[in-house]
């Protein structure tokens, strides 16, 4: 009996180790993909400087990256609900990277829009399937899903630095070098895919379908809250560098620093959100974070001088605490359509905000940037109101141990850790 218990403990540690390794690889791959979502906003000041685009024209590039993605991401979710497509991870990573990398070539605005849109489709194809795989590898842990989402946040945060190093030094003609993270990310996916194939051979039979019904009314309210968050986040991603330069009197470096703070603060918020949700229910954590965000966005819009960076950081944390929690809530509200739920929640996170970004740009051209950003203060309050009507869904049953994609190292080696 003692030997059996010891063997079970060893197997449990091995499964945890393989799952953790898969999450680490997926998180790094997620960073390599989401760097291209952050790169669009980071490239906007360079398009304005080199090609004399207006605010409205520049924000149209964000729209191009978002419009097709907003449609494509739920469609890819529907496809992955019918059939698992893990090969989408490396392929979509390459497509997303190529689109953004080629966007700096040529002076044609139309061609630039096409390349940015292709990048958006690549990013759209990646997220539903990667969220499904990560949920399996995480074993239903909010903290593990937080680490997966953290990778995307770090990719966002790294984007302005990457663009500043590549494009800031050599101009838009150096943009093809931006494809390098995509090459790395596609390679990082391969060990996880091999592990999934081995797991499929080991288990033989597919997992039984969930016994619960889909809760569409709750999911719709969740999706509307995600829309509010998206408009705030993408609007600030597009214009915060210009806004901070105006409020502080700084140059391009001051604006880039604000964008880095906006993205990097999200890394803290995402991990914190996962840890808080493992102690309390997700709905309560998200609801309180949106209250914080109302005050933070107000400070970002209204406070002058260097103190604005504090409010940029608080806004980032407040917007990112709900990030991975909203994805898993969507999956639990629609347990029979996990791919669809992932595609919509992850797609709306960026895409819908891109649709509203040109409206902010037009208002800024007609009035001032501060005036155009002021309406964003109200949207986290709307999200808070929507979450007041939501209940915490029952989490899904944890995957069977064999269903967790094993990593490359032998289980015995991982068990030693």
């Amino acid at each position: 009996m003692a030997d059996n218990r010891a063997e079970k403990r060893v197997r449990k540690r091995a499964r945890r180790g393989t799952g953790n390794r898969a999450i680490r690889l997926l998180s790094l791959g997620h960073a390599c993909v989401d760097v291209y979502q952050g790169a669009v906003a980071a490239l906007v000041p360079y398009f304005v400087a080199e090609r004399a685009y207006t605010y409205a024209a520049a924000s149209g590039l964000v729209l191009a990256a978002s419009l097709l993605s907003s449609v494509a991401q739920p469609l890819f979710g529907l496809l992955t609900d019918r059939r698992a497509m893990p090969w989408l991870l490396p392929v979509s990573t390459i497509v997303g990277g190529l689109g953004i990398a080629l966007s700096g070539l040529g002076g044609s605005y139309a061609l630039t829009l096409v390349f940015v849109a292709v990048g958006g489709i690549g990013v759209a194809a990646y997220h539903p399937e990667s969220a499904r795989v990560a949920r399996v590898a995480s074993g239903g842990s909010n903290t593990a899903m937080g680490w997966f989402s953290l990778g995307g946040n770090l990719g966002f945060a790294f984007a302005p630095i990457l663009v500043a190093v590549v494009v800031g030094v050599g101009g838009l003609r150096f943009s093809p070098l931006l494809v390098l993270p995509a090459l790395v990310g596609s390679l990082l996916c391969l060990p996880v895919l091999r592990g999934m194939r081995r797991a499929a051979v080991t288990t033989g039979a597919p997992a039984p379908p969930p016994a619960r019904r889909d809760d569409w009314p709750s999911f719709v309210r969740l999706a509307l809250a995600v829309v509010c968050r998206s408009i705030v986040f993408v609007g600030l991603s597009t214009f915060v560098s210009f806004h901070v330069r105006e409020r502080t009197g700084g140059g391009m470096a001051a604006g880039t620093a604000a964008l880095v703070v906006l993205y990097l603060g999200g890394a803290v918020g995402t991990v914190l959100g996962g840890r808080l949700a493992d102690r309390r229910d997700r709905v309560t954590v998200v609801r309180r974070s949106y209250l914080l965000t109302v005050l933070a966005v107000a400070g970002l819009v209204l406070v002058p001088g260097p103190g604005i960076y504090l409010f940029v950081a608080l806004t980032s944390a407040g917007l990112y605490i709900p990030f991975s929690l909203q994805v898993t809530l969507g999956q639990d509200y629609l347990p029979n359509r996990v791919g669809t739920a992932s595609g919509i929640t992850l797609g709306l996170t960026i895409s819908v905000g891109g649709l509203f970004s040109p409206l902010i740009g037009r208002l800024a051209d007609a009035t001032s940037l501060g005036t155009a950003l002021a309406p964003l203060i109200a949207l986290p309050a709307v999200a808070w109101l929507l979450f007041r009507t939501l209940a915490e869904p029952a989490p899904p049953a944890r995957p069977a141990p064999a269903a967790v994609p094993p990593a490359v190292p032998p289980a015995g080696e991982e068990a030693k850790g």
Side-chain angles (χ1 to χ4, degrees):
M1 288 291 293
D3 289 343
N4 288 338
R5 285 195 297 268
E7 184 178 351
K8 288 180 179 178
R9 285 196 297 269
V10 169
R11 289 179 178 175
K12 185 176 180 180
R13 287 197 299 269
R15 290 195 298 268
R16 187 185 302 119
T18 55
N20 289 343
R21 185 176 176 83
I23 286 291
R24 287 195 295 269
L25 290 172
L26 289 168
S27 180
L28 291 172
H30 196 184
C32 292
V33 171
D34 275 7
V35 73
Y36 297 110
Q37 294 200 84
V40 177
L43 283 166
V44 163
Y46 296 97
F47 284 118
V48 171
E50 289 194 26
R51 300 179 181 175
Y53 291 164
T54 64
Y55 284 144
S59 59
L61 297 175
V62 181
L63 173 64
S66 304
L67 185 58
L68 286 177
S69 180
S70 64
V71 176
Q73 203 150 162
L75 291 178
F76 280 110
L78 286 170
L79 290 174
T80 58
D81 278 337
R82 296 182 177 182
R83 175 179 296 181
M85 298 180 178
W87 54 267
L88 272 177
L89 272 63
V91 172
S92 61
T93 301
I94 293 293
V95 172
L98 278 176
I100 302 304
L102 296 176
S103 66
L105 299 182
S108 167
Y109 184 74
L111 188 61
T112 301
L113 286 173
V114 169
F115 283 134
V116 170
V118 169
I121 292 175
V123 171
Y126 173 85
H127 280 99
E129 183 67 3
S130 67
R132 182 191 68 80
V133 172
R135 192 76 192 273
V136 173
S138 71
S141 166
N142 291 312
T143 299
M145 284 299 290
W147 283 108
F148 168 70
S149 298
L150 171 64
N153 301 341
L154 293 178
F156 264 105
F158 182 63
I161 300 172
L162 176 66
V163 170
V165 170
V166 174
V167 180
V169 172
L172 290 172
R173 61 192 177 89
F174 273 42
S175 67
L177 293 176
L178 297 176
V179 78
L180 292 177
L183 299 178
V184 174
S186 63
L187 294 176
L188 290 172
C189 296
L190 299 181
V192 179
L193 302 189
R194 286 197 297 267
M196 291 184 68
R197 284 195 295 270
R198 287 200 298 269
V201 171
T202 302
T203 56
R212 294 186 292 114
R213 292 183 177 181
D214 294 328
D215 183 358
W216 281 102
S218 293
F219 181 79
V220 169
R221 292 197 291 273
L222 169 69
L224 290 174
V226 173
V227 167
C228 294
R229 179 202 178 275
S230 173
I231 296 171
V232 176
F233 180 74
V234 178
L236 292 177
S237 296
T238 306
F239 296 110
V240 73
S241 60
F242 298 107
H243 179 66
V244 168
R245 285 161 61 186
E246 288 182 3
R247 304 295 283 180
T248 63
M252 186 76 78
T256 300
L259 201 56
V260 171
V261 171
L262 181 68
Y263 293 159
L264 200 56
V268 177
T270 300
V271 175
L272 179 61
R275 291 189 178 279
L276 289 174
D278 279 337
R279 297 179 180 180
R280 306 181 67 91
D281 67 274
R282 292 166 291 180
V283 170
T284 299
V285 172
V286 173
R287 189 185 299 146
R288 292 178 180 177
S289 73
Y290 279 132
L291 279 180
L292 166 68
T293 307
V294 174
L295 300 176
V297 176
L300 189 158
V301 173
L302 301 173
V303 170
I308 195 173
Y309 287 102
L310 171 62
F311 289 100
V312 173
L314 290 175
T315 297
S316 177
L319 289 173
Y320 266 105
I321 284 174
F323 184 71
S324 65
L325 305 184
Q326 289 175 153
V327 175
T328 59
L329 280 169
Q331 293 172 336
D332 291 347
Y333 285 135
L334 301 183
N336 301 289
R337 293 174 174 83
V338 170
T340 301
S342 302
I344 292 175
T345 52
L346 287 168
L348 293 176
T349 298
I350 297 299
S351 306
V352 173
L355 303 180
F356 281 83
S357 212
L359 299 179
I360 299 173
R362 287 185 179 276
L363 183 57
D365 286 332
T367 57
S368 70
L369 190 53
T371 300
L373 294 177
L376 300 182
I377 299 171
L379 292 175
V382 176
W384 173 77
L385 288 172
L386 289 165
F387 261 85
R388 282 185 61 82
T389 65
L390 289 178
E392 179 75 14
R398 290 181 178 267
V404 177
V408 178
E413 293 182 12
E414 287 293 329
K416 295 177 183 177

